[in-house]
Amino acid sequence: MALALQFQQIFLSPTRFCSQSKSTNPLFSLKLPPTPSIHPLAFALNAAISNINASAEEALLPAPLRRELMPNHVAVIMDGNRRWAKMRGLPVALGYEAGFRAVGNLIELCGDWGIRILTLYAFSSDNWFRPKVEVDFLMGLFERGLKNELEHFARAGIRISIIGDSSKLPKSLQNLIDKVVKTTKENSRLHVVVAVNYSGQHDVVQACQSIAQKVKDGIIEPKDISSFLVEQELQTNCIDFPCPDLLIRTSGELRLSNFLLWQLAYAELFFTHSHWPDFGEAEFLEALCSFQQRQRRYGTQSS
Ligand SMILES: CC(C)=CCC/C(C)=C/CC/C(C)=C/COP(=O)(O)OP(=O)(O)O
C-alpha cells in the first residue's frame, strides 16, 4: 500500500481535467460585423483580426484533420485499465487512476478540437460483479474526480450528464451527480456524458416500457412508434446528437459489451490494442484520421 501511495505521488500527481481552455480566449469568440466598416483603416483592422481569428481556430486542429469532417459525437469503451496495471506489477487501483487521467486528457483534446459530445463507458451494470474492493474504489474515484473537477468543468464550459441507473450508486455520489449535472447544464463547449451502471439492453427495454405506457394511456397509437420516437425515449435523449459518429474501444477486444446498442447502429468503429491508460493524443488523432477517411453511407448510396 505504501508503495502504491509512493507511486501515486511520484507518477500520478493530480492533473487538471482541462488546462486553460484555448477556446475561451476572447479572440476566438470575437464576432465581427458582416459588412466592412466605413473607414478603410477600420476595415483593414477588422480583416486582420478576422484572419487571426480564423488561423487561431485552425491552429487548434492538428494538420491532417479537417474541421468539416470532425465527428460531433465520440463514444469510448475505456478497456484495459486492470491489464495495464497488472502488466506493470501494480495494484489494479493504479490502473483505474491512470485511466482516469487518460479521461482528463481526452476531455481536453475534445474541447480543443471542437468535438461536441464525448460519451464514456465508466461502469457497466455487469461491473457490480467485480470484487467489492474494486467496485468501492471505482465509486470513490468517480466521486473524487467529479468533486475535484466541478469548478473546472464550470469554467471550461463543460457540461456533464449521466446515463444509466444512478439509483444504485452510493447516496453521496448520487447527490454529487445531481449537483454537477445542475451546475454545468448551461455549458455548451463540450458535453461529456458518463455512462455509470449502464446497460444498452436495459436502455432499449426502458424505452419500450415508456412507449407501451404511452400507448396504454392513449397518448400515441402503435402506428406512431418510429425510430425517432424510440430515440426520444432512450437515455441519450439528453444530448443534441444522440447517436455517436465514432466509437473507440481500447485494449484489443472487438465487441460492444452492451454499450449504446441502439445508438451505435451507424457509428464508425475504431479498435486499438493499446490499454486505456496509454490512449493519448497520437492515438486519438489516428482514430479521427481513420474516421475522416471513412465513407458513411448509412446503407443508402453506393460509393
Ligand atoms: C469519472 C470517470 C469517467 C472515470 C473513469 C475511470 C475509468 C477509467 C473507468 C473505467 C472502468 C472500467 C470498468 C473499465 C473497463 O476496463 P477494465 O478496467 O475492466 O480493464 P481490463 O479489461 O484490463 O480488466
Side-chain angles (χ1 to χ4, degrees):
M1 191 61 194
L3 188 68
L5 272 173
Q6 212 178 348
F7 178 92
Q8 205 172 350
Q9 277 157 8
I10 298 169
F11 294 106
L12 302 174
S13 62
T15 49
R16 286 258 154 233
F17 252 135
C18 300
S19 62
Q20 172 71 34
S21 156
K22 290 171 190 140
S23 332
T24 50
N25 182 329
L27 259 189
F28 300 165
S29 54
L30 198 58
K31 291 268 182 299
L32 295 169
T35 47
S37 312
I38 302 159
H39 195 285
L41 195 61
F43 175 59
L45 190 66
N46 264 355
I49 294 172
S50 194
N51 279 339
I52 292 168
N53 215 8
S55 57
E57 276 292 340
E58 291 309 315
L60 293 178
L61 218 47
L65 291 182
R66 289 171 57 189
R67 189 165 298 281
E68 72 280 12
L69 295 180
M70 288 298 277
N72 279 315
H73 183 176
V74 175
V76 187
I77 301 178
M78 308 177 288
D79 202 8
N81 303 282
R82 295 189 297 187
R83 274 169 280 174
W84 181 93
K86 282 174 192 163
M87 275 173 58
R88 287 162 176 77
L90 297 170
V92 162
L94 290 188
Y96 289 135
E97 290 267 8
F100 182 73
R101 290 198 312 147
V103 168
N105 291 337
L106 187 66
I107 289 178
E108 182 171 3
L109 289 169
C110 286
D112 286 350
W113 294 353
I115 286 159
R116 308 284 306 282
I117 300 156
L118 174 66
T119 299
L120 301 165
Y121 203 8
F123 193 86
S124 89
S125 52
D126 299 319
N127 290 151
W128 293 112
F129 299 107
R130 293 185 172 205
K132 184 175 178 318
V133 60
E134 239 181 76
V135 170
D136 290 348
F137 181 84
L138 270 174
M139 294 299 147
L141 183 62
F142 298 150
E143 195 161 335
R144 186 155 42 93
L146 287 175
K147 204 179 279 172
N148 290 347
E149 300 303 330
L150 175 56
E151 228 178 79
H152 195 69
F153 291 144
R155 257 187 292 121
I158 295 166
R159 178 178 173 192
I160 304 288
S161 293
I162 305 288
I163 54 172
D165 180 5
S166 47
S167 71
K168 302 281 183 302
L169 304 177
K171 198 73 197 140
S172 55
L173 181 54
Q174 289 184 41
N175 292 340
L176 182 63
I177 285 173
D178 286 348
K179 183 174 170 193
V180 171
V181 169
K182 267 194 208 114
T183 312
T184 63
K185 82 172 188 304
E186 300 303 330
N187 289 351
S188 59
R189 179 163 162 256
L190 170 67
H191 194 162
V192 177
V193 180
V194 187
V196 188
N197 191 19
Y198 179 82
S199 150
Q201 287 182 340
H202 178 73
D203 196 2
V204 175
V205 168
Q206 67 78 29
C208 292
Q209 287 171 342
S210 170
I211 291 169
Q213 190 63 48
K214 286 186 173 136
V215 172
K216 191 175 168 210
D217 295 345
I219 299 167
I220 55 169
E221 292 189 34
K223 68 173 171 46
D224 298 325
I225 301 170
S226 62
S227 298
F228 176 77
L229 192 88
V230 174
E231 224 154 80
Q232 300 303 300
E233 297 292 343
L234 293 169
Q235 293 171 334
T236 40
N237 69 357
C238 59
I239 60 185
D240 281 348
F241 302 95
C243 294
D245 302 293
L246 170 65
L247 170 79
I248 296 170
R249 180 170 188 150
T250 54
S251 218
E253 311 298 350
L254 308 179
R255 52 179 176 254
L256 296 182
S257 298
N258 206 3
F259 188 42
L260 302 176
L261 296 180
W262 172 286
Q263 297 90 331
L264 289 170
Y266 292 103
E268 298 296 327
L269 310 180
F270 181 87
F271 297 103
T272 169
H273 283 283
S274 299
H275 296 314
W276 172 248
D278 289 330
F279 188 87
E281 176 165 348
E283 214 153 9
F284 189 37
L285 186 57
E286 190 188 330
L288 292 171
C289 286
S290 168
F291 173 80
Q292 295 202 336
Q293 282 157 16
R294 314 272 179 99
Q295 273 206 325
R296 302 188 75 193
R297 292 194 291 274
Y298 303 93
T300 54
Q301 319 113 339
S302 59
S303 55

